[in-house]
Amino acid sequence: LVSTASDLAKWDAALRAGRLLPKARLEAMWQPTRLNSGEAVPYGFGWALATEEGRRVAAHGGGRPGFSTFFLRYLDEKD
């Protein structure tokens, strides 16, 4: 994926506003995955899930030689 910061901000705003996925799908995306063993792992639909200073966060990073990306969202905070 190659994008500008402006386009990523627009994508995030559309995702947050529910224009890309129904609310139920978004909520499922932010939930830990349950393994067959029943253990929950902090990963949901491509997002690393964590709690930072009591706030839920979802993040995704990546890169290629010469490029590095990291996207972090505070799930319960408004714009």
Side-chain angles (χ1 to χ4, degrees), residues 13-71:
L15 189 63
R16 187 179 295 273
R19 292 192 305 264
L20 300 179
L21 294 170
K23 183 175 176 119
R25 297 279 185 199
L26 286 174
E27 287 304 316
M29 203 163 62
W30 312 134
Q31 299 303 313
T33 299
R34 287 250 173 238
L35 302 178
N36 289 338
S37 67
E39 176 187 2
V41 293
Y43 189 78
F45 293 3
W47 296 89
L49 305 171
T51 301
E52 181 179 289
E53 296 182 7
R55 301 184 298 179
R56 292 185 322 140
V57 297
H60 185 84
R64 304 285 296 165
F67 297 90
S68 179
T69 62
F70 190 78
F71 190 94

